[in-house]
Amino acid sequence: MDPETALELVKHGVTLLLLDVPQYTLVAVDTQMFSVGPAFKGIKMIPPGVHFVYYSSSSRDGKEFSSIIGFFIDAGPSEVIVRKWDQQEERLIKLSEEEEERYSQAVKNLEFDRQLGPYNLSHYEDWKQLSNFITKSVIERLEPIGGEITVECENEIVRNATKMPMEDALGKQLKVGNSATSVGKSQRKGCYYTSIPHVVKCKGISGQELTSLNLDKTQLLETLLAKDYGGSEDLLLGELQFAFVAFLMGQSLEAFLQWKSLVSLLFGCTEAPFRTRTHLFTKFIKVIYNQLKYGLQKDHMGETGSALLDDSWISADSFLHHLCKGGLINVNGARRKFPFLVQ
């Protein structure tokens, strides 16, 4: 890249200025992770838009790491986001408006330029495919109070929900309830995800009708779209992507449970994909394809939390295998019943 182009990207891109971050701390944006060195002050040349910033504090020798803390941002061109390391709490905190403005001006004057790592633009397309439905409104609707997403806050949230072997294994991998720093932080609330019923209950209908409603989740999908998403299909897909990113990169078990609930809901629909919500399901298939394609790639396993996804996710006894298998059965049935709808 020639110097003039690089300078333009620095000036018009988003800058994440991170002050006083200890050496060996892992800091990441989207799909890119940095290990903090003695001169590191943040990341520059970030494309404007939605991003996920996350980090993990390190022991002094750089061999042990704490639970990840992450937060979403929606930044405009030339915007500077400033955070400072709080040594006592071992996390990044916001500064006063006056301090932030002073540091922002210093960044725009290129005073920190040599201490900022460049965002690798060749990886930006991966991030866009994982986040194209995440908007500012999605973030504001779902993010926890204070914006920080961390498994340390999820002990109460996931205790009753963690029952399946896969969730138990994830809980152990993410050290739910085992973090020494979780004491005192567990009072913070989790994300404001949409409640997805696992079983449809409805008074005043026959047992046969109730069974039908639970076998085909189309009516439940329609109810949730109208009641919780204001009729917006993209808002639902935005929550699906938000939960996946918070799980895969932020290592949130609560996010995994929400992602699983949404995937189960959509794969549980029989009529919607071929009659009432064809466009939604076309988008959904692209979303989950990109999620699994990225999450299961071997070349970046462990870089940004994707070691949480392995071949067991597509094994014969996994929930995803059963859902996908059921979805293929629905497609085959649709070909026979509605051949004009399936190309």
Side-chain angles (χ1 to χ4, degrees):
M1 185 183 297
D2 63 86
E4 289 185 6
T5 302
L7 183 59
E8 282 299 305
L9 289 171
V10 169
K11 288 183 175 180
H12 295 290
V14 178
T15 301
L16 185 64
L17 181 65
L18 306 174
L19 302 169
D20 301 334
V21 180
Q23 192 170 355
Y24 303 121
T25 301
L26 296 178
V27 174
V29 178
D30 306 336
T31 64
Q32 303 174 42
M33 183 167 282
F34 301 78
S35 180
V36 171
F40 180 87
K41 294 291 184 185
I43 304 161
K44 61 184 177 180
M45 299 167 59
I46 303 171
V50 168
H51 298 278
F52 188 63
V53 181
Y54 50 114
Y55 58 93
S56 174
S57 61
S58 165
S59 58
R60 289 188 178 182
D61 58 4
K63 294 181 179 180
E64 295 183 6
F65 296 90
S66 67
S67 299
I68 284 176
I69 298 175
F71 55 91
F72 284 91
I73 60 171
D74 180 25
S78 304
E79 187 169 344
V80 179
I81 295 170
V82 185
R83 296 289 188 274
K84 187 174 184 178
W85 189 261
D86 185 300
Q87 191 65 41
Q88 185 174 354
E89 295 194 25
E90 294 189 344
R91 68 184 185 92
L92 293 169
I93 59 172
K94 296 181 180 180
L95 300 180
S96 66
E97 289 186 16
E98 183 181 346
E99 284 184 294
E100 185 166 14
E101 177 57 34
R102 181 163 54 86
Y103 279 114
S104 295
Q105 195 56 52
V107 168
K108 292 174 182 178
N109 292 337
L110 303 180
E111 294 177 26
F112 289 98
D113 192 61
R114 291 182 179 275
Q115 297 165 296
L116 300 173
Y119 185 99
N120 190 335
L121 295 172
S122 66
H123 293 168
Y124 183 52
E125 187 58 32
D126 283 339
W127 170 247
K128 288 297 295 179
Q129 290 177 346
L130 296 174
S131 64
N132 59 314
F133 288 104
I134 303 177
T135 61
K136 183 177 181 179
S137 62
V138 169
I139 295 169
E140 291 177 344
R141 178 174 174 267
L142 300 175
E143 68 178 352
I145 296 172
E148 291 183 343
I149 299 171
T150 173
V151 74
E152 291 179 355
C153 301
E154 299 176 2
N155 295 338
E156 283 297 327
I157 296 169
V158 303
R159 184 170 289 137
N160 295 328
T162 307
K163 294 178 180 177
M164 299 297 291
M166 178 179 281
E167 282 86 355
D168 285 333
L170 279 172
K172 292 174 183 176
Q173 189 174 352
L174 297 175
K175 301 178 182 178
V176 175
N178 294 331
S179 174
T181 58
S182 66
V183 178
K185 296 183 181 181
S186 60
Q187 300 302 315
R188 285 185 284 178
K189 301 294 183 181
C191 293
Y192 292 89
Y193 293 121
T194 304
S195 178
I196 312 293
H198 294 289
V199 178
V200 179
K201 297 179 181 179
C202 189
K203 295 180 179 179
I205 64 174
S206 67
Q208 185 176 357
E209 290 173 316
L210 187 59
T211 300
S212 179
L213 286 175
N214 278 284
L215 288 175
D216 179 4
K217 298 294 180 66
T218 295
Q219 186 56 54
L220 174 58
L221 173 63
E222 293 295 339
T223 299
L224 290 169
L225 280 169
K227 175 174 170 286
D228 295 287
Y229 297 100
S232 172
E233 297 177 350
D234 288 359
L235 203 57
L236 183 151
L237 294 172
E239 182 166 346
L240 181 68
Q241 289 185 331
F242 181 106
F244 184 80
V245 169
F247 159 59
L248 187 70
M249 297 165 187
Q251 298 195 355
S252 164
L253 186 53
E254 179 197 19
F256 165 73
L257 295 172
Q258 182 65 12
W259 177 79
K260 177 183 175 182
S261 293
L262 286 166
V263 171
S264 299
L265 167 68
L266 290 163
F267 270 126
C269 295
T270 303
E271 183 179 359
F274 309 106
R275 280 195 159 177
T276 59
R277 295 286 177 177
T278 304
H279 189 48
L280 166 62
F281 278 82
T282 299
K283 293 182 287 187
F284 164 61
I285 293 301
K286 290 180 181 177
V287 167
I288 196 167
Y289 169 79
N290 285 321
Q291 289 177 343
L292 296 180
K293 176 187 174 185
Y294 179 81
L296 293 170
Q297 283 177 10
K298 304 295 185 184
D299 59 347
H300 59 242
M301 289 285 276
E303 284 184 12
T304 56
S306 46
L308 294 172
L309 269 66
D310 55 33
D311 292 339
S312 68
W313 278 65
I314 51 176
S315 64
D317 59 349
S318 73
F319 87 94
L320 202 54
H321 175 88
H322 290 295
L323 288 174
C324 292
K325 183 179 179 181
L328 290 173
I329 291 173
N330 287 341
V331 170
N332 288 330
R335 283 199 179 101
R336 293 191 295 271
K337 195 172 182 181
F338 312 114
F340 55 92
L341 291 174
V342 184
Q343 302 299 321

